Amino acid sequence: MPKDTFNNLSAEKKRIIFDAAVQEFSTRRFSEASINQIIKTAGISRGSFYQYFNDKEDIYLYMIMEIGKEKLEVLSHTEALNPDADFFENFLHMTRVALTWAKTKPDYNQVGLLMELDDSEFIAKLRALSTEGLAIIKGMVERDKQRGLIRQEINSDLVVEMMYTLNINLLKDIYRNGSEEEMLKKMADMYDIIKGGIARV
Amino acid sequence: MPKDTFNNLSAEKKRIIFDAAVQEFSTRRFSEASINQIIKTAGISRGSFYQYFNDKEDIYLYMIMEIGKEKLEVLSHTEALNPDADFFENFLHMTRVALTWAKTKPDYNQVGLLMELDDSEFIAKLRALSTEGLAIIKGMVERDKQRGLIRQEINSDLVVEMMYTLNINLLKDIYRNGSEEEMLKKMADMYDIIKGGIARV
DNA sequence: ATTCAATATGACAACCCTGTCATATGACAA
DNA sequence: TTGTCATATGACAGGGTTGTCATATTGAAT
């Protein structure tokens, strides 16, 4: 929730400030990021910053919302998957999309990863808000239980947690770990393990 | 590598300083931890600190080594597992031991978790050093492949990485997530999924 | 008791950071 | 042109951090 003064700014100037924020928050985690750095990059004065935002949380929130909008914009243009696809197909598809997104907007992705690393009060609250995604995934697991694709006695929450954890973990390596295909392969292999187990039958 | 001056100190005084370090590094991650705080807690002067250690890295390393020694001391008294036990039994056993350790020395455990959260140059290097553990686990996986307990085509490294990631993730919840048994149950369930998969056969 | 080396100390410089506020600048209206 | 309101500015206070260094204290040996 930036102040009115900020909203009155020209789109270009807003963009400059947004970019500066992204640059800072993709480099240092929230608690270590510095307003000083942002205003230097954006080329605005200290006083102006506080005329635009209340504090660091304020601009962070604004930035996250903007990123969210952009992401939604892109994702809405993504081809939908066959509605009958099973959990794994769905998840892999989501992973593919997420991976592409991360490659397209590496800065935005970094912001997300650093968010995962942060443990400040504020970020914890923020993270707690973005759990609807997990509910959807859980729904997919349970549908597959209904359809007899996944065993009844499996704990859906646990599966979701595992997949989520592994997914985040893999995203961390994204810039180290060479090509997109390699990463997708790795993900697919992990999912196969979750699906079929590693034990010899 | 503390300086000689530190090593000449009485065991009690060394312990006081070690404890102060643990207190600080179990509360704030390395990059955010403050020498000021440590000297305040330990009740020593700023000047003395720099007569004992070169800098924050120095005392951190010392602390990690000490913790390592203590841990080794405890673990060496842990009953060994049946040498024929399979990978999962072994891993679960290790988990059990790790969990007990974490409950016994919550501060030390916190230090480790915060290390996992940190992304500073220094901590990254440090973490890279502690990978021998993973090699052992990989060895166990491969032995089970030999014995025909785990399918040949499974990628051992991947399995190790998955187990490790899930394990760390679970340790994070340790203070939130109630009882030790609950956690062990959760771990066991996760391992079951890795072992047998979630798909209906 | 005196001397001398080891150790302890905290004031200090230098560098970060944040949030405020009096003042300057701009732009538009009367 | 002058007044007024919105916006821009950077100096400033107050807080944090680290590493150094001249000085004080201690303790042990002569």
Side-chain angles (χ1 to χ4, degrees):
Chain A
M1 5 335 271
K3 304 184 184 174
D4 289 341
T5 322
F6 179 76
N7 291 316
N8 294 340
L9 255 37
S10 72
E12 302 84 55
K13 192 155 188 188
K14 277 196 262 191
R15 186 71 199 189
I16 287 173
I17 293 169
F18 168 80
D19 286 342
V22 169
Q23 185 172 326
E24 178 65 2
F25 287 121
S26 66
T27 309
R28 324 213 282 183
R29 71 174 106 254
F30 177 77
S31 41
E32 280 172 343
S34 137
I35 293 176
N36 269 358
Q37 198 51 53
I38 296 176
I39 65 184
K40 215 194 302 181
T41 309
I44 61 174
S45 76
R46 178 152 212 78
S48 288
F49 178 90
Y50 283 97
Q51 215 123 29
Y52 300 154
F53 305 97
N54 286 309
D55 50 23
K56 196 161 64 161
E57 295 192 3
D58 204 12
I59 192 175
Y60 188 82
L61 225 47
Y62 167 72
M63 179 195 64
I64 292 290
M65 303 289 247
E66 285 304 303
I67 291 181
K69 274 194 231 163
E70 272 192 54
K71 193 168 181 177
L72 199 62
E73 177 61 24
V74 171
L75 293 202
S76 64
H77 292 319
T78 305
E79 30 162 358
L81 203 59
N82 162 19
D84 280 339
D86 73 7
F87 168 63
F88 286 101
E89 274 184 72
N90 265 306
F91 206 93
L92 203 58
H93 179 250
M94 285 168 59
T95 302
R96 229 179 332 248
V97 172
L99 214 55
T100 307
W101 168 255
K103 284 277 180 190
T104 319
K105 297 282 189 181
D107 286 355
Y108 295 1
N109 185 50
Q110 272 298 329
V111 170
L113 290 180
L114 285 182
M115 191 163 164
E116 211 64 36
L117 276 185
D118 208 293
D119 57 352
S120 65
E121 192 85 1
F122 169 65
I123 296 293
K125 263 188 219 153
L126 210 56
R127 210 166 1 190
L129 287 178
S130 61
T131 38
E132 337 95 38
L134 297 185
I136 295 177
I137 299 176
K138 185 180 175 186
M140 298 187 330
V141 174
E142 305 215 301
R143 190 178 62 148
D144 275 13
K145 278 196 196 170
Q146 300 285 328
R147 293 197 281 181
L149 297 174
I150 291 178
R151 294 205 310 278
Q152 282 296 333
E153 70 272 23
I154 296 292
N155 178 340
S156 305
D157 285 312
L158 192 62
V159 174
V160 172
E161 189 181 331
M162 289 173 72
M163 299 290 273
Y164 180 75
T165 303
L166 294 171
N167 218 354
I168 292 282
N169 192 258
L170 208 60
L171 271 183
K172 281 185 194 164
D173 294 343
I174 196 165
Y175 303 115
R176 252 171 294 159
N177 238 345
S179 74
E180 203 165 325
E181 299 99 62
E182 263 180 73
M183 303 218 58
L184 263 175
K185 169 78 171 62
K186 194 170 172 184
M187 294 222 187
D189 285 350
M190 290 198 320
Y191 300 165
D192 276 346
I193 288 180
I194 301 275
K195 188 175 185 177
I198 67 178
R200 192 167 139 215
V201 276
Chain B
M1 17 283 323
K3 302 183 186 174
D4 289 342
T5 323
F6 179 76
N7 291 315
N8 295 338
L9 255 36
S10 71
E12 301 83 55
K13 192 156 186 187
K14 278 196 263 191
R15 184 73 200 184
I16 287 172
I17 293 169
F18 168 80
D19 286 342
V22 170
Q23 186 173 324
E24 179 64 1
F25 288 121
S26 65
T27 308
R28 322 213 283 185
R29 71 175 106 251
F30 178 77
S31 42
E32 280 172 343
S34 138
I35 294 177
N36 269 359
Q37 197 51 53
I38 296 177
I39 66 184
K40 215 196 297 184
T41 309
I44 62 175
S45 75
R46 179 153 210 81
S48 289
F49 178 89
Y50 283 97
Q51 215 123 28
Y52 300 155
F53 305 97
N54 287 309
D55 50 21
K56 197 162 65 163
E57 295 191 4
D58 205 13
I59 192 176
Y60 188 82
L61 225 48
Y62 167 72
M63 179 195 65
I64 292 290
M65 303 289 247
E66 286 304 302
I67 291 181
K69 276 194 228 162
E70 273 192 56
K71 193 169 181 176
L72 198 63
E73 178 62 23
V74 171
L75 294 202
S76 64
H77 292 319
T78 304
E79 30 161 357
L81 204 59
N82 164 20
D84 282 338
D86 72 9
F87 167 65
F88 286 102
E89 274 184 72
N90 265 306
F91 206 95
L92 203 57
H93 180 249
M94 286 168 57
T95 301
R96 227 176 337 246
V97 172
L99 213 55
T100 307
W101 168 256
K103 282 278 179 189
T104 319
K105 297 281 187 181
D107 286 355
Y108 295 0
N109 185 52
Q110 270 298 328
V111 171
L113 290 181
L114 286 183
M115 192 164 162
E116 210 64 36
L117 276 186
D118 209 294
D119 57 352
S120 63
E121 193 83 1
F122 170 65
I123 295 292
K125 266 187 216 153
L126 209 58
R127 212 169 357 194
L129 287 178
S130 62
T131 38
E132 339 94 38
L134 297 185
I136 296 177
I137 299 176
K138 184 180 175 186
M140 299 187 331
V141 174
E142 304 213 302
R143 190 176 63 145
D144 275 14
K145 277 196 199 170
Q146 299 287 327
R147 293 198 282 181
L149 297 173
I150 290 177
R151 295 203 310 276
Q152 283 296 335
E153 72 272 22
I154 295 291
N155 178 340
S156 304
D157 286 312
L158 192 62
V159 174
V160 172
E161 188 182 331
M162 287 172 73
M163 299 291 275
Y164 181 74
T165 303
L166 294 170
N167 218 353
I168 292 282
N169 192 257
L170 206 58
L171 272 182
K172 281 185 194 164
D173 293 343
I174 196 164
Y175 303 113
R176 251 172 293 160
N177 235 346
S179 76
E180 204 165 325
E181 299 99 63
E182 260 179 75
M183 303 219 61
L184 264 175
K185 169 76 168 64
K186 193 170 172 183
M187 295 223 184
D189 284 349
M190 288 196 322
Y191 300 165
D192 277 346
I193 287 180
I194 301 275
K195 189 175 185 177
I198 65 177
R200 191 167 142 214
V201 277

